[in-house]
Amino acid sequence: MSATSPDPMHDETKKRPLERADSLFARLFGVFLLAIVLAHLLAFAWFSHYGPHQPPPPPPPETAFEQEPPPGPPPPRHPPFWSAPFLFQLLALVAAAGIGARLLARPVRRMGDAALRLSEDLDSPPLPETGPHEARQAARAFNRMRERIRDQVQQRSRMLVAVSHDLRTPLSRLRLRVEEIDNPQLRTRIGQDLAEMIGMLDSTLHYLQQERASEPLQWFDIKALADSLAEDACERGADVGVEGYCTPLKVQPMALRSCLNNLLDNALRYAGDVTIELRDGARQVEIRVRDHGPGIPAELREQVFEPFFRLEGSRNRNSGGVGLGLAIARDAARRQGGELFFEETHGGGATAVLRLPRS
């Protein structure tokens, strides 16, 4: 005779009462049920003490002798509104509501904090799977989502490394073979196409690596960074000036440098002179990169931040680039809690506005 196999439905029905007893609903229900019972007991004691008394006994029959009329019933006692039982009942209900709200908000707050940490760093610790059944279930699903995101990012990084290695090898061989072409015009054109392909590959890998990079916040002198970038650009023959001043700010230094460098390169690509303006504030710092080039149409000022988008249709990198510089700049700004957008320059041109919070 074979042994009977365990019934999974039977085991699940055994677990359900325990899970329901440990759920957030059960905890809230128990707290409020206790508060209601205490309130009713206090009300019972209250009305028993201050409620109507029994009527006085009837007067005795009249006798021959005249007697004084018996005294009337004492006036009823009116309970004071703000007495100890009322106050205790009110405090019990308020305390129960506070405990219930805290029990309800604590798992949600923990989930929000974990999601914020995950958005800033994929290597953040997992969410503890503690608390009532609903909180444990949500934490378990969040941790599974976190692992899947990490696995996908790591798989993408490995794929990019493999693609980069597999593409660079034949491109290097092609560059060597191009030198054997006798036609100088054809050799020059093929060399330019190969250089453009290698540049697009390097820019794409750099963009994807920037998305994955994590950097701690540090106190940083933005004015010194702006002066350094302007000095480097002037040494290359550009006309870049810096206006304004701001006190040090807590930022990601490498990400901020990449953001400003891409904004400056984009402005210099279309204009001969650029101004970096710093505006300090109590809540935020505003960095404005202003040029007097052809400008950006209003309907395209948001679309220019999309990867591989360029305003002109040509594929010449000398004029339009690959189309990743502004996408890298906005990603770097958002990783620091800032925002980046374009607005029209007075007198013609475009102004990139980078806002970074102080807290």
Side-chain angles (χ1 to χ4, degrees):
M1 185 175 179
S2 60
T4 59
S5 60
D7 188 1
M9 295 295 295
H10 183 64
D11 295 339
E12 188 172 352
T13 54
K14 286 184 176 180
K15 292 180 181 179
R16 283 179 180 175
L18 296 177
E19 291 178 355
R20 290 176 180 174
D22 191 30
S23 65
L24 186 61
F25 171 78
R27 296 187 181 189
L28 292 174
F29 183 78
V31 170
F32 284 106
L33 180 63
L34 179 62
I36 292 173
V37 171
L38 288 176
H40 277 275
L41 290 177
L42 288 172
F44 179 79
W46 173 266
F47 287 109
S48 297
H49 185 268
Y50 289 105
H53 298 274
Q54 294 190 5
E62 295 182 358
T63 58
F65 301 98
E66 183 178 355
Q67 296 180 351
E68 294 182 359
R77 291 178 293 176
H78 297 284
F81 183 73
W82 291 108
S83 59
F86 265 130
L87 287 177
F88 187 80
Q89 181 178 355
L90 178 63
L91 292 177
L93 292 175
V94 171
I99 295 174
R102 178 173 296 181
L103 289 175
L104 183 62
R106 185 181 300 168
V108 179
R109 184 175 63 250
R110 283 184 1 194
M111 186 77 67
D113 294 340
L116 182 61
R117 291 194 302 268
L118 182 64
S119 65
E120 297 175 351
D121 183 13
L122 291 178
D123 296 326
S124 59
L127 186 64
E129 299 179 8
T130 57
H133 172 67
E134 291 89 345
R136 293 197 306 269
Q137 187 177 9
R140 194 176 303 115
F142 180 86
N143 290 333
R144 288 181 61 187
M145 179 192 68
R146 169 183 171 274
E147 291 299 326
R148 292 185 63 182
I149 292 176
R150 292 184 60 192
D151 292 342
Q152 290 180 0
V153 172
Q154 292 175 358
Q155 183 180 3
R156 188 187 66 174
S157 301
R158 291 191 296 266
M159 181 187 67
L160 290 174
V161 171
V163 169
S164 174
H165 180 270
D166 293 342
L167 283 179
R168 286 179 183 276
T169 302
L171 287 176
S172 300
R173 290 199 301 263
L174 284 174
R175 295 187 68 174
L176 293 176
R177 292 174 182 175
V178 164
E179 300 299 329
E180 301 177 0
I181 299 178
D182 297 332
N183 190 337
Q185 294 182 353
L186 181 61
R187 184 171 62 247
T188 302
R189 292 178 180 177
I190 296 178
Q192 291 177 352
D193 291 339
L194 289 175
E196 183 177 351
M197 292 175 63
I198 295 175
M200 292 178 63
L201 177 62
D202 292 340
S203 299
T204 304
L205 292 175
H206 178 68
Y207 169 69
L208 295 174
Q209 288 172 0
Q210 287 288 328
E211 282 188 331
R212 183 66 179 88
S214 60
E215 185 183 2
L217 295 174
Q218 301 176 15
W219 289 104
F220 193 70
D221 189 354
I222 301 179
K223 179 67 165 56
L225 174 61
D227 291 337
S228 176
L229 293 177
E231 184 178 354
D232 294 342
C234 291
E235 291 179 356
R236 298 194 301 266
D239 183 9
V240 180
V242 179
E243 299 178 357
Y245 177 80
C246 69
T247 57
L249 182 67
K250 209 168 188 179
V251 297
Q252 296 176 343
M254 297 301 296
L256 180 60
R257 185 180 185 89
S258 174
C259 178
L260 289 182
N261 196 24
N262 280 286
L263 292 177
L264 186 60
D265 289 343
N266 180 79
L268 289 174
R269 186 177 293 117
Y270 300 101
D273 61 316
V274 177
T275 302
I276 302 176
E277 183 183 358
L278 305 178
R279 296 183 180 180
D280 201 354
R283 295 184 177 181
Q284 65 181 11
V285 171
E286 190 173 278
I287 306 172
R288 305 171 72 87
V289 181
R290 184 174 64 249
D291 66 74
H292 294 282
I296 302 175
E299 65 273 10
L300 297 178
R301 288 174 189 166
E302 186 65 25
Q303 196 173 357
V304 294
F305 292 104
E306 297 180 2
F308 303 105
F309 178 82
R310 298 188 302 175
L311 289 175
E312 67 285 329
S314 66
R315 298 298 296 174
N316 186 5
R317 293 187 65 249
N318 295 326
S319 62
V322 180
L324 290 174
L326 294 179
I328 293 175
R330 170 167 278 190
D331 181 70
R334 287 179 172 175
R335 288 206 308 270
Q336 302 173 84
E339 57 178 345
L340 176 63
F341 58 92
F342 273 102
E343 64 181 26
E344 187 177 357
T345 302
H346 181 70
T351 300
V353 182
L354 172 62
R355 291 174 179 170
L356 298 174
R358 282 205 167 272
S359 59

